[in-house]
Amino acid sequence: LKSNPSNNEEKEAHTQLTKSDELQRLHSQALSAYQKEDYEAAISLLDEILAVCVWDAELRELRAECYIKEGEPSKAISDLKAAAKLKNDNTEAFYKISRIYYQLGDHELSLSEVRECLKLDQDHKQCFSLYKKVKKLNKQIESAEEFIREGRYEDAINKYDSVTKTEPEVPVYATRAKERICHCLSKNQQATEAIKVCTEVLQLEPANVNALKDRAEAYLLEDLYEE
């Protein structure tokens, strides 16, 4: 503007400069809220900034962190996926997406995302460590499901027992393994054991339709029609 003064441009420049100052103020407030662990306030402030600074990868990553802390993983994934596209070689974003999917029990999508991380950096320690774990778990689950399709229920039960040993810390995998073991026992006409395991699943997930169906089949085998 100093080199080429113009009333219209000056007005526009002042408007933009005022907006810029306001966004910087909001940014400081957002960082302060994040540091104080007031994630809801941080998200609200970041929403305002990102409405203008749509392509800012770091702000999206910060908002994703807030969403994780607030227990909104799907929103975190959305921001991290955008950040992975906006910033070159963003291994950290792919790693975080893979971890979230893994915690949610979606081992297949977790494996897909961690592979993207390793494509960018095959020596990435965190991604490689996660990749080994997810790949092993994925293979065990695929193998167990193949046994079920073949009617080899004892083999499937043993394989799902291995799943619970591979991942003892993320509850969703133990619950899913129990659900499938309940199915195998019911199909294998081991009614008493099926009822026990299906009941354990239903204590964790009262609305688990698969466990209800399999327990019903087991009750039929025992002539327990009321149940």
Side-chain angles (χ1 to χ4, degrees), residues 20-77:
S20 173
D21 289 341
E22 171 66 5
L23 290 172
Q24 285 183 322
R25 186 181 65 78
L26 291 171
H27 187 210
S28 296
Q29 288 181 343
L31 288 173
S32 174
Y34 178 77
Q35 282 154 6
K36 290 175 186 168
E37 299 183 8
D38 186 354
Y39 302 115
E40 194 177 340
I43 289 167
S44 180
L45 291 158
L46 290 165
D47 286 347
E48 282 189 68
I49 306 168
L50 281 160
V52 181
C53 306
V54 182
W55 314 116
D56 193 313
E58 286 177 11
L59 289 178
R60 286 191 177 276
E61 286 174 358
L62 181 60
R63 189 169 66 176
E65 282 298 313
C66 294
Y67 280 137
I68 291 167
K69 301 286 189 187
E70 284 289 287
E72 297 194 71
S74 58
K75 289 182 179 178
I77 287 169

Side-chain angles (χ1 to χ4, degrees), residues 186-203:
S186 181
K187 286 285 183 190
N188 214 29
Q189 302 202 335
Q190 293 169 258
T192 307
E193 194 62 25
I195 291 164
K196 177 175 169 286
V197 177
C198 295
T199 301
E200 286 172 11
V201 175
L202 288 161
Q203 282 167 350

